[in-house]
Structures are given as structure tokens and as C-alpha cells.
Amino acid sequence: MCGRYSLFTPQEELAERFDATFETPPEPRYNCAPGQRLPVVTDDDPETFRFLKWGLVPQWADDQSVGNNLINARAETVREKPSFRDAFERRRCLVPADGFYEWVSADNAKQPYRVAFEDDRPFAMAGLWERWKPPQTQAGLGDFAGDGDATDAEPEILETFTVVTAEPNELVSDLHDRMSVILAPDEEETWLHGDAADAESLLDTHPDTEMRAYPVSTRVNSPVNDDADIIEPVEV
């Protein structure tokens, strides 16, 4: 799975790499975690980085808490699963990152590793996104339903995303049995705007050429810790 990642690439470099701009300057992030609002590039607005919440909430969900369990979508079933199939057909996105974390069990503990390209260059993980509107209720509609004097404010629309995962490459297989789908730069346009069949053909395992994995501090275990020390190698 992909449960944490980093994105500390400078704003100007990200803008050039993805040909998109930020409406709000981003902070460098060393420990991106589910539930946080993070920058993505969506198919309907590819020229702008938008901040969506990590953890996809399908349009039909009764409660947004379902997103806590939908931070990843499996490539093998993404076209069939009710939680993801509509988004796969209509709402795909790029999730920029410059590394991701996996944990290995050892000596009754879990050691985190960071996986990245050797030069820490940014890349795009394949993602899906959704818009969710809370179900309408009768609360706050006044003493008499239908009296034309409803006082409820329009419910806020929540925009969320998930990261698609596939079988790991040889490097990551020593750490976990899944990894995020990393798109090559020349595949990103097809992922955003191609038809479903072409998009599905991109959901393969990225080779480990030019990639590295190294142990990092267990401070990454808590999303409260989000500083440059997290990505420094440690001895194990």
C-alpha cells in the first residue's frame, strides 16, 4: 500500500515539472498522511494544483468517514469496485510525490524505509478523485417543513483522492507486497484524459531503475513529525 509519502520539491520545480500553478504556495512536506489536504492535478483542471483530502469518499457514501479506509485503490479491481469505478471512468488525477514510505517488521518492531529516485526527482502517482456532498437532512429547516423559510447553509462539497497501487517492483518487494503506480511523464496525459482502456493499460509496476530504498527514523510513524530530518538515512 501507499500510506505515507513526501513532497518537498520546490514550488517552481513542481510547477515546471507538471505545467501547473499553485493558487496557494505549498509548504514542503516530508510526511504526507491520510486525512490531510494535499496537492493533486485533476483531469478537469490540469493547469492548477488543487488541495484535496487524502482518503476517497464516494459520491454515494452516507458519511465521509468511509474515506479513512479508501486511501488506496488496487489496480487489478479499480474498474469493478463500487467505491472506485465511477471515479476511474470520469475523475482521474496525478498525485505528485518525491518519495514514499514502507515499513518492514524486524525484532518485534517496524522499521520505516523511504523509497525514491536516486536524485529525489518528483514523480506522479496515479490517483482518482471525487466530490462528495453530505446527505440532506431536515435539521435546521424551521419549525414546519416546507414553510419556505429554511435556514440551513448549503452543505460544503468535500473533494478527496486515493492512490492506485500495483504489484511491487524488485526493490519494493523486499519491503511490501504493494506499491503506488508511478506514471512515466509521457503517460500522464493519457492517465488524465485517455479512455478507460488506455488508462487501465498504464496500471503496471514501475521498474526500480534509478530508484533507492533506505531506512529512516521511526519519527515518520507519527504524522505530527513533518520536517527534513525525517528523510535522513539511519543505521539499522
Side-chain angles (χ1 to χ4, degrees):
M1 65 179 294
C2 176
R4 299 285 177 83
Y5 64 91
S6 62
L7 184 62
F8 53 83
T9 302
Q11 175 182 345
E12 296 77 12
E13 186 176 341
L14 284 175
E16 181 178 0
R17 166 63 178 77
F18 291 95
D19 195 22
T21 59
F22 286 92
E23 294 182 352
T24 302
E27 295 290 333
R29 300 298 306 275
Y30 301 90
N31 195 6
C32 300
Q36 298 175 348
R37 292 185 179 272
L38 301 163
V40 302
V41 175
T42 59
D43 53 353
D44 69 337
D45 188 16
E47 297 180 353
T48 305
F49 289 100
R50 290 162 56 187
F51 286 79
L52 275 58
K53 185 178 179 180
W54 187 7
L56 188 136
V57 181
Q59 292 183 357
W60 45 260
D62 293 329
D63 187 275
Q64 63 176 289
S65 63
V66 69
N68 297 334
N69 298 318
L70 297 177
I71 65 171
N72 290 159
R74 293 177 68 92
E76 298 86 347
T77 57
V78 71
R79 293 189 72 175
E80 290 78 36
K81 288 286 187 180
S83 298
F84 305 121
R85 62 190 177 197
D86 190 57
F88 179 80
E89 292 285 342
R90 299 176 176 84
R91 287 173 293 279
R92 302 182 210 120
C93 64
L94 307 177
V95 182
D98 44 36
F100 59 89
Y101 301 97
E102 295 295 353
W103 280 258
V104 174
S105 296
D107 298 328
N108 298 319
K110 287 192 174 183
Q111 173 61 50
Y113 282 74
R114 181 169 179 265
V115 182
F117 285 98
E118 293 174 352
D119 58 1
D120 274 332
R121 65 179 180 268
F123 54 87
M125 300 186 291
L128 310 174
W129 70 283
E130 272 287 10
R131 288 192 179 101
W132 179 79
K133 187 175 182 179
Q136 295 287 343
T137 69
Q138 293 298 311
L141 291 181
D143 293 335
F144 303 96
D147 64 5
D149 190 28
T151 58
D152 272 2
E154 184 70 16
E156 181 180 357
I157 293 175
L158 176 67
E159 294 185 326
T160 61
F161 74 94
T162 189
V163 175
V164 183
T165 67
E167 294 290 325
N169 58 33
E170 187 173 352
L171 176 70
V172 179
S173 65
D174 290 335
L175 310 176
H176 202 275
D177 60 1
R178 305 291 295 178
M179 68 175 287
S180 58
V181 172
I182 298 175
L183 300 168
D186 61 0
E187 296 175 334
E188 294 167 8
E189 174 65 21
T190 300
W191 175 251
L192 287 180
H193 300 120
D195 62 27
D198 288 340
E200 187 176 30
S201 71
L202 304 178
L203 298 178
D204 53 13
T205 300
H206 194 282
D208 60 7
T209 307
E210 299 181 352
M211 298 187 75
R212 60 175 176 152
Y214 63 91
V216 294
S217 169
T218 54
R219 292 182 63 244
V220 76
N221 294 354
S222 171
V224 172
N225 300 318
D226 190 3
D227 55 72
D229 289 344
I230 285 177
I231 67 169
E232 293 300 317
V234 300
E235 295 289 338
V236 294

